[in-house]
Amino acid sequence: MSLDSSRSANSSGGQKSKRSFNNSTSSNPSNYSNGNNNKKAKPSQKTLGAASWGANSLSPSRSSFRNAPFSDFGSYMMEKNRKLHDQFDAEASTSSHSGSDSGKPIFHGISIFVDGFTIPSSQDLRGYMLKHGGRFENYFSRRRVTHIICSNLPDSKLKNLRSFSGGLPVVKPLWILDSVVANKLLSWVPYQLDQLANNQPRLSAFFAPKSSSVSKDVKPEGSSFKGGTSTEAYFSDLGESSEHSRQISRETDNLVNRNSNASLVTEPTSSCGRPFEVTMEKPNNIDADDERSVRNELQTSPYQPSALATSNFVENHDMTGSPSSTVSGLSNHRHSTIEDPNFVENYFKNSRLHFIGTWRNRYHKRFSSLSNGFNSRSSNIKASAQKTAIVHVDMDCFFVSVVIRDRPELKDKPVAVCHSDNPKGTAEISSANYPARDYGIRAGMFVRDAKARCPHLIIFPYNFVAYEEVADQFYNILHKHCNKVQAVSCDEAFLDFTGSVEDPQILASRIRKEVIETTRCTASAGIAGNMLMARLATRTAKPDGQFFIPPERVDDHLSQLPIKALPGIGHVLEEKLKKQNVWTCGQLSMISKESLQKDFGMKTGEMLWDYSRGVDDRSVGVIQVSKSICAEVNWGVRFKDVKDFFQSQNFLSNLCKEVSLRLQGCGVQGRTFTLKIKKRRKDAEEPIKYMGCGDCENLSHSTTVPVATDDVEVLQRISKQLFGYFHLDVKEIRGIGLQVSRLESEGSLKQGLERNSLKSWLTSAAASTEEACNNSCTALVRSDTDCEGQGNEILGKICASSVGPSIEMDNNISNGEAFLNQVSEPPPLCHLDKEVLESLPPEIFSELNDIYSGKLIDLITKSKGKSENISSSSSNSHVQVEGAMKTGHMVLHSDPFLQHEIPVENRHIAMEDQAVLVSGAESNNVVLPASGIQKIDLMPLSLSQVDATVLQQLPVEVKADILQLLPAHRRQDLSSNALSGPSKETPLELLGTKTAEDHSVSKGCVSENNLWAGTPLQWVVKFKVSNCLILNVLAEMYYELGSTGTLSAILQRAISLPKHQLDANRDSWDEATYNLCDLLKQYIKRKIEFDIEEIYICFCLLRRFAMKSEVFLQVYTNVFPYLQASVGENYGGNLHMSLKN
Amino acid sequence: MDRRENQSSEGETARILVEFLEVAINSIVFLKGVYPSGAFERRRYMNMVVQRARHPQLRDYIHSTVSTLLPFIQKGLVERVAVIFFNTDCIPVERFVFKLIVNQSYGSKLEEADLEFSLRAFLIKLSVSESLTKALPRDCRWEIIAYFRSLPQASMSKDSELWTPTDTRQWQQPPILIPIKSMSSEPLCLQLYLEHPSSSEPKP
């Protein structure tokens, strides 16, 4: 009725209120009692929050209810909201006209809802929104509101945040104010309500601040931290991005400060940066390689922003800067995880389990000579059957005591180690010291629960460097005193003093004393006649003591010992035993060996029997060879949605990289690859542990390849393939692990496969074209291969083996310079060939010299005294160096292996380098036929693997040869394509023998793996192409039955076949039996659990076949035991298969 | 929301299964001729002629036994349900075993018709499988036993109190299995097979 008038009144009121807001609120509190329209017209003049205002207005609104034609409250509210919007729009338009200082609409697209009391008041906020192009909602609506502003939330709303906020960000009012001050929209993330913000350190905080906070923290302490300073220098180099980074570092600083305040609160602030600095300095990862290459680059070309460097930094920015790009309203939980492309690396860098897991490897490297020494001797001693004396030494709460070893005042205080100490307390304690244990604090407990038991508990983060240092000291001492040391873990070892003249007790106390003096941490020792008893003795000895169990006291000691104390008895076994009313070892020893073996299996039963009597015949020094190598990430794994396919693939690649590094670290290669995935259970909720994996199903797929490998490429390919088998929604994935088993020690296979490949010839040919490059390559590569202990004479071969290390490096090879720098991981000086060094061009020599920080010169001068070259080298002609680099670059591209590595952008560069390609191709002339005849299957399987451009460049005869080698059906399209010219974009994989081979390999293992998978089923495909009649017939039957039949249906149909078709002749006998057995076994495996009837029918039919056909008789007798075993396993009985007829 | 739907579909599966078990057990008892055939009456179930016990106590025993299984089946606790026939020495002579796997996480809507179609096959097969079974000795007894994946908590429901742990005598040798019928469909996997003592079983 009077909408217009009310609006005008309104707009003027609004204007006024904006200018003299405080006055009007204080002077005019009675506005409230005006008429309906008025009341609605002046909401802006109240300091009450919108919500409470709405409540107050209920009574007057009732009167309007009667007058106005509103059918119900809902439509009334709708109308009211509409009016409020109209008002707001009107005010906004006038205010933006009138306000001269109002800038661009910074809050464009933002619509806030103010909840409860805020400072400034909701009306002030409304004013800001009005002025800066935002919207203000009086009533909450999930659709219209984008941000909820409040200063405080009641407990009930906190608990039920989702239903309250509808998933919208809940932000402090300061965000609005700061945004206004900054005159731009700031990221709301740092302004998230404290009560909600997860103060747990994000993964981004683990490393993101590397760039910002580390360099800041490090600065005052001096330049001793290379990593920090170099990045700093780096920053100044990257002029364009530094501004951006500064802006971001401000944001992250907020985060980090909060985080580090939380987690490092007990440490002096000056050491705040320590954990970060550590990760920078530890040169054991790819990261370090990167860094080094970056540093080198800084030295060589300080004014050239390198592509590699920037790309790295862009990554960092993406990750740290992500909060700023999340205004769209995503919850920021996600940002801490997978969005980070380096997640895997950083995950392992910060994982304690990883530390423990990889420690052994480190140990072996360090003490391998020592431990090898005693192995041979141990057998001798064993034979002489002396009285054994085993000492078990174990550091007391290692992870805590190392951290507080410099803080004696904390010795008697409860201290725990945990990766974070945030108020939410959802992190798990990893280790607690004895005072803390007195409060009932245990490893694996949530910090929250631990704090509840002991409020003054002090929590420290890990200090991996210190752990490493102490562990090394610890083992140094052990090895000094004893030549038979078996490492159990980084803080625990067995020593064998058998045959030693001295009393082992005295020795043990001496060792303990020394450990305390050196490491300032205490160790406990148990002494007994075998490893089991020594370990149990340590249990009694702890903390900081030692205990001796003489042989005659063994029974006494064991009789009252709870069974849980025995190694090898876990929860499950304990429960089972307790059900049988066995609580102590004494009771356990009453049970006969037979019944133990019956109940728990042969091995476990025997172990229990032995252990309960204190019998343990393991000998110290037997180091278990690891059977598998695995890397798993079960924390912080979150993929957003299917679109993030790339993300998950990237994650997978990184995981492969890690596994490959571990394989290489252990010097082994594996054949079986198992991809394990943790999938969120359907009804599982977000786990209590922040970013934990929660309740998950464990899924796994595995595959076996014929040739063991540790190659990143292969791993990545296999794991992606395996990943594909899962058909999972990536959102559901909570953990991924890759396990490699069937390990073989590296060595023999590496040579065979790579040496006679085309590539080696190719590279050698390419090398011969360019002298300079030739030399540089040889020098660098040569030293590499020397390191690996592989003999080498021919240039080409050397180049070939350089592929290994280069693949390990990184995917980030974005230009030749970077590559060269990376390859140049300097081998020890003594490995360098002086002759090669001398014949190097001076420029390259000087570069090498730089890498060796000048030592190279000494080396040369010492040996020959020829220093002329070197002195001239200092004045370098940069152009020439670049030339060499570039050719190196070309070599790189002509190398089919590396083409996988090179990002797509670089491929066209390779195209330009046709000259090299041609020269490479010409050298094929000789090689291709030779190797092709050897392995015809190595030829590219499909057209997509052949590069038409290269093919065209080949001489006619060679082309003909290649085409001839291809199977007939492939030949046609290939030649036509080759003629059609280079217009087609085909990948540069002409000489991809490796690819082709991999392809066939992978195909082979798929079929090996699961005959009953795929459409059509793998076995059908396989049988159809077989040259064995019976197999062909079966495959045909499958198609005749409409490709859906069960095996029983196929067999049923086959029963009517004439007899001669069912049998196989001698030639195909083996093939037929093998394939049929395989088929049946897999079928049994597949069906046994769900469909015993089907299997029963199949075997009844088979039995009938067996009467007619010898092949089937053999198959039947072969598979029958397997069948019965499977049935027994699943049903506890045997299938009824008596021959009635 | 989603979850509730699942539960209802799950509940539905369990309900049909329990109903089926009741009919099947009736059929087995009839088939084995433990009671005179006059003790049974012809009924129609799933559009099939089945036999049902007339005697209220017998009928009630089967009904109550099976229906108290319902909550456990819903929870996925029941692994097998066996109908066991004993001789006078309480040594089992023959066991009819229903092995069941109910997919707890089956999401989509249950196709009742499909399930019934499969279950009907069981009843048909059962009705003609007398030749597979052994003749029972005189004075035999029989009982229904359920094998649980884990022991149910006593407090779970009042019904569970009707179930008592049992120590039925077992064969000393692994039995001989004769599959009668299997079905494996989502969300229910059901197998029925016979267990007979193996020939090497020591005779009492």
Side-chain angles (χ1 to χ4, degrees):
Chain A
M1 51 195 179
S2 60
L3 194 68
D4 284 339
S5 70
S6 85
R7 194 190 272 177
S8 64
N10 193 4
S11 57
S12 65
Q15 240 169 315
K16 207 177 79 194
S17 77
K18 187 156 58 60
R19 296 230 179 90
S20 57
F21 199 78
N22 289 329
N23 294 342
S24 72
T25 45
S26 56
S27 69
N28 203 5
S30 56
N31 261 346
Y32 184 92
S33 55
N34 293 354
N36 274 337
N37 283 330
N38 258 351
K39 181 188 65 63
K40 274 182 241 157
K42 289 166 186 166
S44 55
Q45 291 173 341
K46 284 188 197 67
T47 42
L48 294 168
S52 55
W53 177 83
N56 283 342
S57 71
L58 244 169
S59 55
S61 78
R62 211 168 277 154
S63 61
S64 77
F65 214 22
R66 250 174 257 132
N67 307 337
F70 297 126
S71 57
D72 58 354
F73 189 70
S75 63
Y76 163 71
M77 280 307 286
M78 229 163 76
E79 182 64 11
K80 183 170 177 180
N81 270 325
R82 190 186 62 74
K83 283 191 182 170
L84 283 167
H85 282 151
D86 289 347
Q87 284 168 23
F88 191 88
D89 288 343
E91 281 181 56
S93 60
T94 48
S95 78
S96 60
H97 284 306
S98 61
S100 58
D101 58 331
S102 65
K104 52 181 177 168
I106 44 178
F107 292 123
H108 183 75
I110 303 283
S111 178
I112 62 164
F113 166 74
V114 180
D115 184 79
F117 175 76
T118 54
I119 298 171
S121 71
S122 67
Q123 290 314 306
D124 285 329
L125 293 174
R126 181 174 184 267
Y128 287 125
M129 297 311 282
L130 212 57
K131 197 170 174 188
H132 298 285
R135 294 207 65 89
F136 181 90
E137 290 293 330
N138 293 55
Y139 297 100
F140 181 74
S141 148
R142 178 72 186 77
R143 269 183 302 118
R144 290 189 296 268
V145 174
T146 61
H147 291 74
I148 296 167
I149 308 290
C150 66
S151 307
N152 200 7
L153 274 184
D155 215 29
S156 61
K157 283 186 181 173
L158 263 184
K159 277 184 190 147
N160 214 347
L161 183 72
R162 274 211 90 72
S163 69
F164 155 66
S165 70
L168 294 172
V170 181
V171 190
K172 285 184 285 189
L174 201 63
W175 173 55
I176 307 273
L177 298 185
D178 284 2
S179 293
V180 170
V181 170
N183 201 20
K184 64 173 183 171
L185 190 68
L186 300 174
S187 161
W188 56 267
V189 173
Y191 297 97
Q192 202 187 11
L193 199 64
D194 286 333
Q195 292 157 291
L196 305 176
N198 260 313
N199 292 340
Q200 197 149 25
R202 274 139 232 248
L203 275 181
S204 57
F206 276 136
F207 45 82
K210 248 200 287 193
S211 46
S212 52
S213 70
V214 168
S215 52
K216 268 181 207 160
D217 288 338
V218 164
K219 223 186 289 178
E221 289 187 46
S223 59
S224 57
F225 305 117
K226 274 187 190 166
T229 46
S230 79
T231 33
E232 218 179 76
Y234 211 178
F235 258 93
S236 57
D237 277 350
L238 302 166
E240 39 167 1
S241 66
S242 65
E243 192 192 271
H244 184 44
S245 69
R246 216 173 297 132
Q247 174 202 332
I248 277 151
S249 69
R250 207 180 82 84
E251 266 167 32
T252 46
D253 267 0
N254 273 338
L255 267 174
V256 172
N257 282 345
R258 217 189 302 148
N259 292 334
S260 54
N261 281 348
S263 61
L264 304 171
V265 83
T266 47
E267 280 208 325
T269 39
S270 64
S271 66
C272 231
R274 202 183 280 172
F276 306 124
E277 156 233 312
V278 162
T279 52
M280 289 293 281
E281 278 213 318
K282 203 166 71 181
N284 62 352
N285 231 327
I286 302 174
D287 220 30
D289 286 330
D290 265 355
E291 208 181 295
R292 191 177 315 140
S293 74
V294 164
R295 223 179 293 154
N296 286 339
E297 231 157 87
L298 281 173
Q299 286 168 0
T300 51
S301 56
Y303 300 107
Q304 226 177 355
S306 78
L308 177 68
T310 35
S311 77
N312 262 349
F313 266 79
V314 168
E315 274 171 8
N316 274 346
H317 285 177
D318 276 352
M319 175 193 68
T320 54
S322 55
S324 63
S325 62
T326 52
V327 193
S328 53
L330 290 165
S331 93
N332 71 337
H333 289 223
R334 292 173 177 172
H335 293 285
S336 52
T337 58
I338 292 298
E339 303 230 325
D340 164 25
N342 295 328
F343 178 76
V344 175
E345 253 167 58
N346 292 303
Y347 175 84
F348 285 116
K349 228 178 264 175
N350 290 292
S351 157
R352 176 182 68 115
L353 293 176
H354 176 67
F355 172 75
I356 297 173
T358 50
W359 169 83
R360 180 179 292 274
N361 185 17
R362 243 177 70 77
Y363 169 76
H364 277 307
K365 285 216 171 114
R366 203 179 149 93
F367 296 104
S368 60
S369 54
L370 292 163
S371 50
N372 283 344
F374 72 77
N375 258 352
S376 53
R377 228 180 305 164
S378 67
S379 54
N380 294 339
I381 291 168
K382 191 86 185 160
S384 62
Q386 280 167 324
K387 201 177 147 200
T388 50
I390 309 291
V391 177
H392 178 244
V393 190
D394 190 2
M395 308 273 290
D396 301 324
C397 38
F398 181 70
F399 281 89
V400 176
S401 48
V402 170
V403 174
I404 60 168
R405 66 194 165 132
D406 295 326
R407 309 275 301 273
E409 75 275 11
L410 291 175
K411 210 177 157 222
D412 300 319
K413 303 230 166 65
V415 179
V417 169
C418 175
H419 78 270
S420 95
D421 178 22
N422 74 327
K424 231 175 143 194
T426 56
E428 283 168 14
I429 286 183
S430 93
S431 178
N433 68 353
Y434 281 92
R437 287 182 204 185
D438 290 342
Y439 286 91
I441 291 165
R442 296 276 173 272
M445 204 179 244
F446 282 140
V447 170
R448 177 173 64 198
D449 303 337
K451 287 253 171 104
R453 287 177 191 230
C454 171
H456 52 286
L457 180 72
I458 303 163
I459 290 184
F460 277 101
Y462 298 122
N463 183 354
F464 291 119
V465 170
Y467 295 146
E468 242 166 50
E469 185 194 328
V470 171
D472 286 348
Q473 289 172 340
F474 176 63
Y475 275 98
N476 276 333
I477 294 166
L478 297 188
H479 281 287
K480 199 170 83 190
H481 286 276
C482 179
N483 51 18
K484 280 176 80 175
V485 179
Q486 179 185 341
V488 179
S489 141
C490 53
D491 62 336
E492 185 185 355
F494 285 103
L495 312 179
D496 188 347
F497 283 117
T498 306
S500 146
V501 193
E502 259 183 290
D503 184 359
Q505 291 194 66
I506 297 172
L507 280 167
S509 59
R510 198 184 299 152
I511 288 172
R512 284 183 47 234
K513 195 163 158 248
E514 210 163 309
V515 167
I516 292 168
E517 280 165 3
T518 323
T519 66
R520 282 161 286 146
C521 302
T522 58
S524 304
I527 306 126
N530 60 33
M531 285 166 77
L532 170 72
M533 293 315 294
R535 184 175 211 148
L536 293 176
T538 314
R539 228 178 84 98
T540 318
K542 268 180 179 278
D544 191 18
Q546 70 183 61
F547 190 69
F548 175 53
I549 305 181
E552 62 272 14
R553 300 284 317 264
V554 165
D555 288 340
D556 289 353
H557 189 84
L558 283 174
S559 63
Q560 287 310 311
L561 198 71
I563 46 171
K564 190 82 206 297
L566 292 179
I569 296 189
H571 288 295
V572 180
L573 206 50
E574 188 194 11
E575 282 307 308
K576 279 187 192 161
L577 285 167
K578 280 187 177 167
K579 265 185 204 154
Q580 297 189 5
N581 227 352
V582 175
W583 301 83
T584 64
C585 292
Q587 290 167 331
L588 184 60
S589 62
M590 305 294 208
I591 304 174
S592 76
K593 193 171 187 170
E594 285 70 32
S595 77
L596 280 176
Q597 288 187 332
K598 200 172 128 240
D599 290 347
F600 303 106
M602 291 303 283
K603 265 196 170 164
T604 316
E606 186 169 353
M607 180 201 83
L608 288 176
W609 195 82
D610 281 348
Y611 280 10
S612 65
R613 283 163 181 71
V615 177
D616 179 14
D617 48 9
R618 288 174 299 169
S619 62
V620 173
V622 181
I623 296 160
Q624 294 109 333
V625 180
S626 45
K627 296 216 176 75
S628 68
I629 283 177
C630 174
E632 259 187 276
V633 181
N634 293 331
W635 184 83
V637 179
R638 298 287 187 282
F639 299 108
K640 248 191 290 179
D641 55 65
V642 194
K643 277 177 226 148
D644 284 339
F645 183 73
F646 171 74
Q647 227 177 52
S648 54
Q649 295 290 307
N650 182 35
F651 181 84
L652 219 54
S653 318
N654 285 328
L655 194 66
C656 291
K657 226 181 281 170
E658 175 67 33
V659 172
S660 162
L661 280 173
R662 289 186 189 187
L663 283 170
Q664 283 155 7
C666 299
V668 289
Q669 301 183 324
R671 285 182 52 206
T672 298
F673 303 90
T674 309
L675 190 67
K676 303 188 237 178
I677 287 197
K678 276 186 182 295
K679 183 184 155 220
R680 187 177 73 95
R681 269 192 209 288
K682 197 146 196 189
D683 46 357
E685 297 180 357
E686 193 57 23
I688 312 165
K689 183 177 172 184
Y690 177 70
M691 281 292 167
C693 61
D695 189 11
C696 284
E697 282 175 74
N698 294 313
L699 312 169
S700 74
H701 267 296
S702 68
T703 185
T704 305
V705 297
V707 181
T709 182
D710 58 359
D711 186 85
V712 170
E713 274 292 304
V714 181
L715 287 186
Q716 288 176 350
R717 196 175 42 72
I718 290 174
S719 60
K720 275 172 194 168
Q721 198 180 13
L722 288 171
F723 188 75
Y725 290 154
F726 285 101
H727 299 295
L728 278 180
D729 182 357
V730 287
K731 268 186 288 187
E732 305 286 284
I733 295 175
R734 290 292 177 268
I736 301 184
L738 180 67
Q739 185 186 21
V740 183
S741 47
R742 294 217 202 164
L743 301 179
E744 296 168 4
S745 62
E746 194 171 14
S748 54
L749 12 91
K750 202 169 187 179
Q751 288 142 16
L753 208 122
E754 290 182 5
R755 290 267 154 115
N756 58 8
S757 66
L758 285 175
K759 183 182 40 64
S760 59
W761 291 85
L762 245 184
T763 32
S764 78
S768 68
T769 56
E770 284 285 343
E771 287 277 332
C773 148
N774 181 350
N775 279 338
S776 73
C777 263
T778 351
L780 297 171
V781 167
R782 172 100 181 215
S783 41
D784 255 354
T785 39
D786 273 354
C787 259
E788 287 177 11
Q790 292 179 345
N792 48 15
E793 267 122 31
I794 310 164
L795 276 182
K797 287 183 185 173
I798 300 163
C799 288
S801 54
S802 84
V803 170
S806 72
I807 286 174
E808 297 164 22
M809 289 299 175
D810 208 329
N811 272 330
N812 288 352
I813 305 172
S814 49
N815 60 18
E817 282 169 90
F819 175 69
L820 279 182
N821 278 326
Q822 283 185 332
V823 170
S824 68
E825 188 174 4
L829 271 179
C830 53
H831 285 287
L832 294 180
D833 189 332
K834 284 171 197 135
E835 277 179 35
V836 176
L837 284 180
E838 277 165 25
S839 58
L840 284 178
E843 295 81 14
I844 289 164
F845 183 87
S846 75
E847 223 184 278
L848 274 178
N849 193 31
D850 275 349
I851 292 166
Y852 281 100
S853 52
K855 282 177 192 154
L856 221 52
I857 303 182
D858 301 346
L859 186 78
I860 295 292
T861 38
K862 255 183 221 164
S863 59
K864 294 265 171 171
K866 279 187 188 176
S867 54
E868 309 96 64
N869 284 350
I870 300 135
S871 58
S872 70
S873 70
S874 52
S875 61
N876 60 346
S877 57
H878 195 72
V879 187
Q880 215 177 330
V881 173
E882 259 196 356
M885 298 280 194
K886 203 174 171 201
T887 47
H889 192 152
M890 288 177 187
V891 172
L892 227 164
H893 284 281
S894 63
D895 187 327
F897 264 98
L898 286 166
Q899 274 156 16
H900 300 285
E901 295 285 338
I902 300 156
V904 186
E905 319 90 66
N906 284 341
R907 289 207 175 167
H908 69 268
I909 304 176
M911 296 280 208
E912 289 163 19
D913 295 343
Q914 294 253 338
V916 175
L917 272 179
V918 172
S919 74
E922 264 163 3
S923 71
N924 284 348
N925 215 342
V926 200
V927 191
L928 202 57
S931 71
I933 287 160
Q934 270 177 349
K935 298 179 180 178
I936 291 177
D937 270 338
L938 295 193
M939 287 306 288
L941 272 180
S942 74
L943 192 57
S944 65
Q945 286 166 350
V946 178
D947 183 4
T949 54
V950 179
L951 197 68
Q952 275 198 323
Q953 302 283 345
L954 291 175
V956 187
E957 315 88 85
V958 179
K959 207 160 30 179
D961 273 352
I962 292 175
L963 292 177
Q964 210 172 9
L965 283 171
L966 287 172
H969 62 279
R970 298 180 196 149
R971 205 179 298 156
Q972 196 58 46
D973 7 329
L974 186 64
S975 53
S976 65
N977 190 64
L979 293 173
S980 73
S983 58
K984 265 196 174 175
E985 269 266 332
T986 41
L988 271 169
E989 286 171 358
L990 165 70
L991 304 164
T993 45
K994 169 89 170 180
T995 334
E997 183 190 47
D998 284 349
H999 202 78
S1000 62
V1001 163
S1002 64
K1003 240 186 111 185
C1005 63
V1006 168
S1007 63
E1008 232 172 72
N1009 238 4
N1010 201 344
L1011 291 172
W1012 288 95
T1015 39
L1017 299 172
Q1018 287 284 341
W1019 71 264
V1020 180
V1021 178
K1022 200 173 168 188
F1023 282 17
K1024 196 159 175 71
V1025 297
S1026 156
N1027 46 15
C1028 179
L1029 184 64
I1030 176 66
L1031 300 187
N1032 298 346
V1033 168
L1034 287 178
E1036 236 164 70
M1037 294 280 174
Y1038 172 80
Y1039 285 115
E1040 277 176 34
L1041 283 166
S1043 309
T1044 51
T1046 51
L1047 186 61
S1048 63
I1050 293 167
L1051 293 175
Q1052 185 87 54
R1053 206 178 166 86
I1055 205 106
S1056 56
L1057 287 175
K1059 200 179 167 185
H1060 72 270
Q1061 277 198 15
L1062 284 178
D1063 236 324
N1065 52 15
R1066 287 289 137 193
D1067 305 337
S1068 52
W1069 177 275
D1070 284 341
E1071 188 190 349
T1073 47
Y1074 172 78
N1075 279 320
L1076 285 172
C1077 286
D1078 206 22
L1079 179 76
L1080 284 167
K1081 280 184 183 171
Q1082 288 198 23
Y1083 197 61
I1084 291 171
K1085 205 167 161 192
R1086 197 179 163 84
K1087 289 276 183 188
I1088 191 73
E1089 203 181 338
F1090 306 106
D1091 204 346
I1092 196 180
E1093 187 198 7
E1094 164 72 13
I1095 290 172
Y1096 183 65
I1097 296 170
C1098 285
F1099 274 83
C1100 286
L1101 289 167
L1102 269 182
R1103 208 175 51 203
R1104 284 172 67 178
F1105 282 127
M1107 287 174 198
K1108 289 202 253 177
S1109 149
E1110 298 251 317
V1111 176
F1112 276 97
L1113 185 62
Q1114 185 169 355
V1115 170
Y1116 184 80
T1117 44
N1118 277 0
V1119 184
F1120 192 71
Y1122 179 82
L1123 168 75
Q1124 290 295 23
S1126 298
V1127 174
E1129 208 173 278
N1130 281 277
Y1131 297 89
N1134 291 320
L1135 216 49
H1136 173 77
M1137 274 291 175
S1138 72
L1139 290 158
K1140 268 184 199 161
N1141 30 0
Chain B
M1 186 75 168
D2 212 26
R3 215 173 148 186
R4 208 184 310 148
E5 268 170 24
N6 285 351
Q7 271 178 348
S8 72
S9 112
E10 215 170 86
E12 185 71 355
T13 315
R15 193 189 57 72
I16 293 176
L17 179 63
V18 163
E19 202 176 82
F20 163 77
L21 281 177
E22 187 181 344
V23 177
I25 292 173
N26 268 300
S27 305
I28 290 171
V29 178
F30 171 78
L31 181 82
K32 292 304 296 174
V34 186
Y35 306 101
S37 56
F40 292 85
E41 58 187 0
R42 280 159 63 93
R43 301 293 289 227
R44 180 185 280 256
Y45 175 72
M46 288 186 188
N47 221 8
M48 273 187 61
V49 175
V50 291
Q51 302 285 335
R52 191 177 72 162
R54 259 192 176 142
H55 194 285
Q57 273 185 353
L58 175 58
R59 197 164 71 198
D60 198 49
Y61 167 65
I62 299 175
H63 176 76
S64 64
T65 313
V66 178
S67 54
T68 49
L69 271 181
L70 184 62
F72 303 114
I73 292 177
Q74 274 168 345
K75 290 203 170 58
L77 281 175
V78 182
E79 192 188 355
R80 279 175 292 165
V81 178
V83 181
I84 307 179
F85 295 90
F86 301 95
N87 65 11
T88 41
D89 300 323
C90 285
I91 292 170
V93 177
E94 186 165 55
R95 294 154 53 103
F96 285 81
V97 185
F98 295 93
K99 189 169 193 244
L100 28 127
I101 303 167
V102 182
N103 186 357
Q104 297 287 314
S105 59
Y106 186 65
S108 59
K109 182 97 176 65
L110 174 73
E111 287 299 330
E112 206 171 323
D114 289 351
L115 194 58
E116 285 188 2
F117 179 76
S118 312
L119 291 177
R120 212 176 312 158
F122 274 82
L123 296 175
I124 293 173
K125 193 73 190 282
L126 198 57
S127 64
V128 296
S129 57
E130 203 191 341
S131 64
L132 299 173
T133 66
K134 280 193 171 178
L136 288 181
R138 289 181 62 80
D139 297 331
C140 69
R141 291 189 316 108
W142 68 279
E143 67 184 16
I144 302 171
I145 284 188
Y147 292 83
F148 287 77
R149 287 201 167 78
S150 62
L151 279 182
Q153 273 104 40
S155 58
M156 212 168 89
S157 73
K158 256 187 278 170
D159 292 341
S160 68
E161 287 161 18
L162 292 173
W163 285 90
T164 49
T166 156
D167 48 353
T168 309
R169 281 179 71 173
Q170 299 287 330
W171 291 309
Q172 286 161 25
Q173 297 291 321
I176 301 285
L177 306 184
I178 305 172
I180 293 178
K181 191 72 199 164
S182 297
M183 72 173 253
S184 55
S185 65
E186 288 291 346
L188 175 67
C189 224
L190 184 65
Q191 304 198 59
L192 173 60
Y193 54 89
L194 270 176
E195 284 184 6
H196 287 158
S198 90
S199 51
S200 58
E201 185 76 23
K203 296 279 183 296

